[in-house]
Amino acid sequence: MFKNVYNWIDERLDITPIWRDVADHEVPEHVNPAHHFSAFVYCFGGLTFFITVIQILSGMFLTMYYVPDIINAYASVEYLQTKVAFGKIVRGMHHWGASLVIVMMFLHTMRVFFTGSYKAPREMNWIVGMLIFFVMLGLGLTGYLLPWDNKAYFATKVTLEIANSVPVMGPVLKELMQGGTIVGAETLTRFFALHVFFLPAVLLILLVGHFIMIRRQGISGPL
Amino acid sequence: MAHGDNSKEKVVYVGDSRVRRGSGFITPPDYTAYPGKSEAFIPNFLLKEWMVGVVVLVGILVLTISEPAPLGFPANASATVIPIPDWYFLFLYQYLKLPYASGDYIVLGTLGVTGVAFGSLLLAPFLDTGRERRFYRRPIASSLMFLSLAAIVYLTNTAWTEYKHEMAETGQIPEDVQREEKAAENRAKGLPTSSAVKAKEIAIVDKDDPAMALFKQATCISCHATDLKGAAGPSLRGVGDTHDKEAILKIIKEGQGQMPSMLDAATGAGLSDKDIEDLAGWLAKQKSQQ
């Protein structure tokens, strides 16, 4: 049955080459923890992606309840946390996942750095990876404000003050993020838009680039 | 399956940096050219990777259940809270408090050192161009990274210790803990457990005061509405909570934010100086709590 469906589509669209490009490749011995346990350091990239997927999924469920305005944001998060079935779990996964994705990404970056895997011909992939790192930090920064509790509010105030202290660009940057002269309703909607639409879009584009490059070039060889 | 040595396909995936760069073109052999232990990504390796993923997933769930995501009290600009960013920004936060990264040297802090550090991380492949990949044969790159890691650990630790210390000194308890305790207390008493702010309508104080007529006459209502709830301008109900008479008078005379000076408009509508003072005095009486 499945094969028939596949063949029906394949006859029309010739998807086999695409599938082979994506999935059909060998994993070399030196990155396989089944052969050398120390190769577990090569797991961190995959785990970063895995947790990113968890973040996207749990985040999608959170937006079913979250209301990005200053009057209802806190109340909606509180409702989600205390009343919604499994709301505590989904929010908890998003909260802890946000920290773990940074941890995994950091470990992945360190693995790539200390194995010298960023060297020719993989320079571009390193740069894309660093951009992913910055986008992730941006996601962490914007997501921190969304519960709209005191911790979120005051941390964001400090962050925007720091942005403000950058010469020339600073005040513009601050006003752009803040959407006015105070941290308030506009700041919350802007951070929400950045957190849910802008940054994830950039992240997905960068991830596609990251994965295409790793498939083109293969994983770096053993030391 | 993966492409063998005599693959006729144009694009041969999976390069191998074990192959030395020579003068001529070498068709990169793929991993199947090395005997034995490579493994198909799908499904063999992916299933193993999924097992690692499951362990991580269980880890997240255990964390989620044992330590629920924290939630404090609703944001309130007049609350006294020691600001603290998420843990992975602590090192930057602490670093920007250092004497040569703050105050007069803030540019050095935000752009100088931080810019150079992150910039060189971004451009690492173009700064560390040698062929050598082993970290112990790349002393400069490796020692710079070790130094940065040590600095990050040190700064993060200092930031957290200082935060804890400050909390203890001012006798503050983290708000998420306070909220949990308050909710538990209320639950035991059968009271509502929510900490969310409920919108309360604030009444107009002294609605029959002649100043109400002045308020209409002076065209204030075009922005602040006849019921004082605001339209283009903000609501003036409860304005006395945050502004005294002098402050209101100043705003009327000089404007504030998007509001222009209304002095000419008011005098043009026939208000005397005393009328304006009365109006400001009446507005200052608009307090939410009687």
Side-chain angles (χ1 to χ4, degrees):
Chain A
M1 173 63 198
F2 177 73
K3 205 174 175 186
N4 287 341
V5 173
Y6 181 85
N7 287 341
W8 190 89
I9 298 173
D10 194 39
E11 267 169 35
R12 283 151 183 84
L13 296 174
D14 194 21
I15 55 174
T16 301
I18 304 173
W19 166 246
R20 293 185 66 175
D21 285 353
V22 171
D24 188 11
H25 60 101
E26 296 270 312
V27 177
E29 175 196 341
H30 73 281
V31 305
N32 193 333
H35 295 295
H36 308 279
F37 183 69
S38 61
F40 73 87
V41 293
Y42 287 90
C43 284
F44 296 134
L47 287 176
T48 308
F49 179 64
F50 179 58
I51 301 178
T52 305
V53 172
I54 293 181
Q55 289 305 93
I56 292 174
L57 290 176
S58 57
M60 276 158 54
F61 281 98
L62 291 180
T63 54
M64 286 180 157
Y65 293 93
Y66 181 74
V67 183
D69 84 62
I70 52 171
I71 295 169
N72 296 311
Y74 178 88
S76 67
V77 174
E78 194 191 50
Y79 177 70
L80 182 66
Q81 178 86 359
T82 55
K83 298 277 178 2
V84 177
F86 302 115
K88 207 180 219 171
I89 303 278
V90 176
R91 177 159 181 259
M93 286 178 80
H94 205 71
H95 172 82
W96 286 110
S99 286
L100 283 173
V101 82
I102 302 278
V103 172
M104 292 300 170
M105 196 168 48
F106 177 76
L107 293 173
H108 176 59
T109 311
M110 287 303 109
R111 194 280 292 169
V112 173
F113 185 85
F114 284 117
T115 57
S117 303
Y118 57 84
K119 292 181 173 248
R122 298 185 175 80
E123 301 97 325
M124 281 170 69
N125 217 2
W126 169 267
I127 289 181
V128 169
M130 287 315 297
L131 294 179
I132 291 175
F133 205 125
F134 296 143
V135 169
M136 285 287 193
L137 289 180
L139 281 163
L141 193 80
T142 48
Y144 202 62
L145 178 70
L146 301 186
W148 199 248
D149 60 0
N150 274 324
K151 192 170 70 164
Y153 178 81
F154 286 99
T156 303
K157 257 185 140 168
V158 172
T159 310
L160 290 172
E161 277 316 309
I162 291 171
N164 192 32
S165 64
V166 175
V168 191
M169 283 294 292
V172 182
L173 199 68
K174 181 190 170 197
E175 196 159 333
L176 188 71
M177 289 201 284
Q178 196 168 251
T181 49
I182 54 157
V183 175
E186 298 241 8
T187 321
L188 185 61
T189 43
R190 274 180 198 210
F191 273 49
F192 177 75
L194 285 172
H195 188 77
V196 174
F197 296 107
F198 291 78
L199 291 175
V202 176
L203 180 71
L204 289 179
I205 292 167
L206 289 171
L207 279 180
V208 168
H210 208 59
F211 292 156
I212 288 176
M213 278 190 261
I214 187 86
R215 289 293 292 113
R216 285 255 150 189
Q217 300 176 320
I219 199 158
S220 60
L223 289 170
Chain B
M1 291 312 295
H3 322 284
D5 270 345
N6 1 326
S7 169
K8 291 204 174 61
E9 289 193 40
K10 261 190 214 156
V11 179
V12 179
Y13 289 112
V14 188
D16 189 333
S17 50
R18 280 177 290 187
V19 179
R20 286 172 194 278
R21 194 189 292 174
S23 47
F25 178 77
I26 308 166
T27 316
D30 79 274
Y31 288 114
T32 48
Y34 297 89
K37 293 174 176 169
S38 65
E39 185 169 30
F41 177 64
I42 286 182
N44 306 30
F45 189 73
L46 194 63
L47 281 173
K48 287 181 189 164
E49 211 165 73
W50 171 239
M51 281 188 241
V52 178
V54 165
V55 172
V56 171
L57 189 60
V58 169
I60 298 183
L61 285 171
V62 166
L63 266 177
T64 302
I65 293 162
S66 63
E67 294 279 330
L71 182 67
F73 291 121
N76 177 358
S78 53
T80 47
V81 174
I82 303 165
I84 185 93
D86 219 351
W87 64 268
Y88 42 86
F89 288 116
L90 281 177
F91 77 97
L92 271 178
Y93 183 57
Q94 187 67 18
Y95 160 73
L96 287 172
K97 285 183 186 169
L98 295 177
Y100 284 102
S102 58
D104 295 341
Y105 300 97
I106 188 74
V107 179
L108 190 63
T110 50
L111 280 191
V113 179
T114 321
V116 169
F118 282 103
S120 50
L121 192 62
L122 183 68
L123 299 176
F126 305 102
L127 299 171
D128 177 22
T129 49
R131 294 265 197 88
E132 184 56 53
R133 284 179 49 210
R134 278 164 284 199
F135 73 91
Y136 48 86
R137 297 265 181 86
R138 298 184 280 133
I140 298 174
S142 297
S143 50
L144 281 175
M145 184 54 88
F146 280 126
L147 199 67
S148 314
L149 291 179
I152 288 173
V153 171
Y154 169 76
L155 287 168
T156 307
N157 183 45
T158 317
W160 189 245
T161 319
E162 272 185 21
Y163 173 68
K164 283 280 180 202
H165 186 71
E166 221 177 317
M167 289 288 274
E169 216 165 51
T170 52
Q172 288 190 47
I173 307 164
E175 284 204 342
D176 52 301
V177 179
Q178 285 186 45
R179 189 194 65 91
E180 292 268 344
E181 283 172 2
K182 196 179 135 203
E185 236 171 70
N186 285 345
R187 198 175 299 117
K189 287 186 207 154
L191 295 169
T193 52
S194 170
S195 297
V197 184
K198 307 243 173 351
K200 260 190 305 185
E201 193 159 328
I202 302 164
I204 301 177
V205 180
D206 283 346
K207 195 163 190 297
D208 304 325
D209 195 283
M212 184 83 193
L214 294 172
F215 183 75
K216 288 176 185 161
Q217 192 187 339
T219 68
C220 303
I221 55 165
S222 57
C223 290
H224 296 290
T226 40
D227 55 5
L228 269 71
K229 280 186 182 171
S235 168
L236 293 182
R237 291 199 184 195
V239 69
D241 290 346
T242 50
H243 295 74
D244 60 5
K245 187 179 164 186
E246 297 306 311
I248 293 170
L249 210 52
K250 188 164 178 276
I251 294 171
I252 293 174
K253 286 182 177 164
E254 295 170 14
Q256 179 187 349
Q258 300 190 344
M259 173 177 164
S261 162
M262 295 304 291
L263 190 60
D264 294 342
T267 46
L271 271 74
S272 66
D273 282 355
K274 190 183 169 301
D275 287 341
I276 295 172
E277 282 216 8
D278 287 348
L279 180 56
W282 176 71
L283 284 171
K285 280 197 286 177
Q286 300 298 327
K287 292 185 190 289
S288 55
Q289 303 288 328
Q290 290 296 305

